[in-house]
Amino acid sequence: MAHTSQSLRRGAALLASTVAALGLLTACGNGGQGKSPESVSGTAAPASGNASSTDSSGTSAVPSGGGSSSASQSGGSSTGGGSSTGGTTSSSATATRCHTSELAASVGGNNPGAGQENFPLVLTNKSGRTCTVRGFPGAAFVNASGTQLGPDPQRESGTTATTVTLKPGQSAWAGLTFSNPEISGAKTATPAALLVTPPDEKDSLKVTWKNGAVPVSGNASSVRLGVFSAGTGA
């Protein structure tokens, strides 16, 4: 009996060792993973492609031959000055913009100073509705054949555009300036006309130029434009 009990104890010990060895082999075969994959919160980025972005500049595209609306710039509300026919300046428009066909263009008198020639470009609402202008005009000096003289005018930097609301008969003006050619020594030409394009429009208005020679090349030949303000600039 003693011999039989000893044999049973040896068999039980051998069985326990075999079970332990089998459990170790099973763990190795599973790569050591002892739990389920974790669920991670968050949204994965796309595997490819670029995220789309919205242009936040606010600046309207410049039409061919036209001015910029400079829509990202704004100013406070004020009543336009310069003449009794001046429009109202505000930071937001309640009417649609003025189209070329609704406007008449003119050039006011020169207001020279410090070697500069300064002319107001005036747009007057000739339509029967209220409309708005905002930003820079387009402008080009041309000869009698319609060929442009000199490069495109430059826009004045550091200027703030505001929306000018024009009731029928009211006007807005933008400054056109250049150095006196007799002082600057720039090469000149005498235009037959000035083409003026309202902001965000493609069609121009022709104004007969009666103010003599303008700089077209050489030193200090730049012609500069400002943004529209209410009134006629007089």
Side-chain angles (χ1 to χ4, degrees):
M1 287 292 294
H3 179 72
T4 301
S5 297
Q6 186 176 7
S7 298
L8 289 174
R9 286 195 296 272
R10 288 177 179 176
L14 180 60
L15 178 61
S17 298
T18 301
V19 171
L22 288 174
L24 180 61
L25 290 173
T26 301
C28 293
N30 287 337
Q33 297 178 6
K35 60 182 179 179
S36 301
E38 294 182 2
S39 177
V40 181
S41 64
T43 302
S48 64
N50 296 324
S52 61
S53 61
T54 301
D55 184 3
S56 61
S57 67
T59 302
S60 300
V62 181
S64 175
S68 169
S69 65
S70 303
S72 63
Q73 304 178 54
S74 62
S77 298
S78 64
T79 300
S83 81
S84 60
T85 59
T88 301
T89 303
S90 64
S91 59
S92 61
T94 57
T96 58
R97 78 171 188 271
C98 300
H99 300 293
T100 302
S101 61
E102 299 174 306
L103 298 167
S106 61
V107 177
N110 187 16
N111 183 24
Q116 291 288 115
E117 309 300 320
N118 306 298
F119 299 91
L121 304 186
V122 182
L123 294 179
T124 301
N125 181 4
K126 66 176 185 179
S127 74
R129 73 180 185 103
T130 298
C131 59
T132 62
V133 294
R134 181 186 179 92
F136 295 90
F141 290 110
V142 295
N143 61 20
S145 300
T147 302
Q148 181 171 334
L149 301 173
D152 292 335
Q154 299 178 358
R155 294 173 179 177
E156 291 282 5
S157 61
T159 54
T160 300
T162 53
T163 301
V164 183
T165 301
L166 300 179
K167 295 180 180 179
Q170 291 185 326
S171 301
W173 71 281
L176 180 147
T177 66
F178 54 83
S179 297
N180 186 317
E182 294 182 1
I183 298 175
S184 68
K187 294 181 180 180
T188 65
T190 300
L194 176 68
L195 301 183
V196 181
T197 310
D200 292 323
E201 291 290 301
K202 294 183 179 181
D203 296 328
S204 300
L205 298 166
K206 180 182 288 188
V207 182
T208 300
W209 182 256
K210 301 178 180 179
N211 298 287
V214 300
V216 294
S217 65
N219 295 332
S221 62
S222 296
V223 177
R224 293 177 298 280
L225 292 169
V227 296
F228 277 106
S229 299
T232 62

